[in-house]
Amino acid sequence: IDAALPTKDPDIAQRVAGAVALYRNRARTDEDLRLAVRELFDVLEKLRPEVKAEMLRGDEGALFNIANNFAIRHMNEKQKGNYDTAIWHSWIFYVNLSTIHVITRLVNRKARQQAARGG
């Protein structure tokens, strides 16, 4: 959670920092936690082409299944909401945050490798 995010995209950096601040707030509510998770899903949506390129298809699909079918982003009657949000949203927060770190690191490594090859 304290690791520096290797991105030059100020929007991604700001959104991740905001989500982490919400998560770390000692007085956070269940809604704050849901918003932190949602913000990280929004970052993953922005990184979706890179996520698709770097993750296995089933894993990418499972990640966005959670985003789209649980009461996190799309608040409608089709969403699953009967779960312990304090526990599961915390888990989803860490999964999303670590996924963002992995994807940005892989993208940076590819860019360095291409630069080294002169491409």
Side-chain angles (χ1 to χ4, degrees):
I1 200 166
D2 290 325
L5 186 64
T7 183
K8 293 179 182 172
D9 185 321
D11 182 52
I12 289 175
Q14 181 181 4
R15 287 173 178 266
V16 170
V20 169
L22 270 175
Y23 184 83
R24 290 183 125 172
N25 183 352
R26 293 178 191 238
R28 78 169 185 241
T29 64
D30 286 343
E31 180 64 7
D32 292 334
L33 181 54
R34 185 188 70 77
L35 290 172
V37 170
R38 180 186 173 150
E39 193 68 19
L40 294 181
F41 272 128
D42 288 347
V43 170
L44 286 168
E45 191 70 51
K46 186 172 185 174
L47 291 170
R48 193 143 190 191
E50 292 85 356
V51 170
K52 283 184 176 194
E54 299 298 339
M55 293 181 78
L56 297 173
R57 181 183 183 111
D59 294 339
E60 180 263 340
L63 186 65
F64 285 96
N65 177 50
I66 293 169
N68 296 321
N69 292 314
F70 289 81
I72 297 168
R73 290 173 62 186
H74 309 294
M75 305 301 284
N76 62 47
E77 69 279 351
K78 295 179 184 178
Q79 304 306 296
K80 297 173 182 118
N82 189 18
Y83 57 92
D84 187 333
T85 58
I87 292 172
W88 289 105
H89 285 175
S90 187
W91 172 75
I92 295 167
F93 175 86
Y94 279 107
V95 167
N96 287 354
L97 183 60
S98 62
T99 301
I100 291 165
H101 276 268
V102 165
I103 296 301
T104 55
R105 281 175 171 71
L106 290 172
V107 166
N108 286 342
R109 181 171 60 185
K110 278 187 176 180
R112 284 191 310 272
Q113 289 171 342
Q114 287 178 345
R117 287 190 299 253

